[in-house]
Amino acid sequence: MKLACQENLVPGKSLEEKLYRLEKYGYAGIEFWGGNIKSRAEEIRRLCEQSKVKPSTICAGFRGSPLDADKGQRDLAMADIKELLEVAGYIGAIGVIVVPIFGQPKVPDLSPWKTAREIEFELLVKLLKDIAPHAERANSILLIEPLNRYETHFLRTLEDAVSVVKEVASPSVQIMADFFHMSIEEVNIAKSIEAAGPYIQHIHLADSTRLLPGYGHTDFEAGFTALKKIGFRNYMALECGVPGDPDLELPKCAEYLRKFI
């Protein structure tokens, strides 16, 4: 298991400076926001090749929505996601994090034929089956992220996300587990991680308060023990608030988490 941090959490006027700080803090990876990342791909690849800190993942950054009722919005989302997958492969990141939909359904409820959620499930599986070969050619993975009930009506647990991945049946479509969302939705985080097993290919770290690990009541020791049981070896990236000076808080967080790794 390797610690990573989202780029925006790290102080510094340049990527080179951020990479230097992360290495000094004790992190092995850096996660990038997907917005405009194509224009930065050359710089990211060059600087990360010279650094011990490597790209872990690309987080979202696409336009449209994969589960929009408007086909134009769906097409826009999938075209952007394809481009992001190509960039991820180019810079050496594991993959691209995708939330299928925020908020309430955008497709109609067509009961008694199909509910909105049933339509969304089938549509998502179809879209992911179509994009999986593209992800494979790009040497990248599309990582589905379940959110909590306050941010989405759709995929909210690891089990929900795994049910989609099993239907798609491609190694290029897997899931990401976020400790903050799990602290709301999972009855037992450790058991949920063990049940999701090899489908988990990336982790987001945040405490129950959505602050740095150690500033809430999430049991990271139990969660990390479960990750070790399933053989997880990839990056775990901070996606959270930093309550104080990052130059002090980020290395302190790395030290705290390494106790459980």
Side-chain angles (χ1 to χ4, degrees), residues 42-227:
E42 290 289 347
E43 178 196 29
I44 291 170
R45 178 167 166 162
R46 175 176 55 84
L47 291 176
C48 288
E49 283 178 348
Q50 299 168 6
S51 172
K52 291 182 180 179
V53 178
K54 305 302 180 183
S56 65
T57 28
I58 296 174
C59 187
F62 56 90
R63 298 166 294 173
S65 173
L67 297 181
D68 202 287
D70 184 336
K71 185 176 183 298
Q73 292 299 305
R74 297 197 302 273
D75 290 347
L76 179 62
M78 300 315 288
D80 279 4
I81 292 169
K82 283 182 178 180
E83 187 172 88
L84 290 169
L85 287 165
E86 291 170 3
V87 174
Y90 179 76
I91 66 174
I94 287 172
V96 178
I97 300 162
V98 173
V99 174
I101 188 169
F102 291 89
Q104 297 303 308
K106 297 182 179 180
V107 297
D109 186 328
L110 298 181
S111 301
W113 177 59
K114 291 182 190 294
T115 65
R117 196 183 186 289
E118 288 171 333
I119 294 170
E120 287 173 321
F121 184 90
E122 292 184 25
L123 175 58
L124 182 60
V125 168
K126 171 60 177 167
L127 291 172
L128 294 179
K129 282 185 175 180
D130 289 346
I131 205 172
H134 185 89
E136 189 171 352
R137 287 192 297 272
N139 194 29
S140 186
I141 297 174
L142 189 149
L143 298 156
I144 302 172
E145 179 181 10
L147 303 181
N148 68 75
R149 70 195 71 179
Y150 306 109
E151 298 182 49
T152 189
H153 70 283
F154 190 43
L155 304 181
R156 300 200 301 235
T157 66
L158 300 189
E159 184 179 16
D160 289 340
V162 168
S163 68
V164 172
V165 172
K166 284 182 175 180
E167 285 292 321
V168 177
S170 167
S172 295
V173 178
Q174 302 292 319
I175 72 171
M176 190 201 77
D178 185 308
F179 271 82
F180 172 72
H181 299 303
M182 289 192 291
S183 74
I184 297 173
E185 296 296 336
E186 304 292 351
V187 175
N188 184 301
I189 290 176
K191 288 182 179 179
S192 295
I193 288 172
E194 289 183 38
Y199 298 105
I200 301 175
Q201 295 298 318
H202 186 56
I203 297 291
H204 267 174
L205 297 172
D207 217 315
S208 56
T209 53
R210 216 165 198 173
L211 296 175
L212 287 172
Y215 280 94
H217 54 71
T218 300
D219 187 350
F220 286 97
E221 182 174 9
F224 280 30
T225 297
L227 288 169

Side-chain angles (χ1 to χ4, degrees), residues 19-38:
L19 291 171
Y20 170 79
R21 274 192 159 96
L22 280 177
E23 183 178 340
K24 182 180 174 183
Y25 295 161
Y27 291 82
I30 182 169
E31 181 172 287
F32 295 96
W33 174 250
N36 299 317
I37 195 170
K38 187 176 181 180

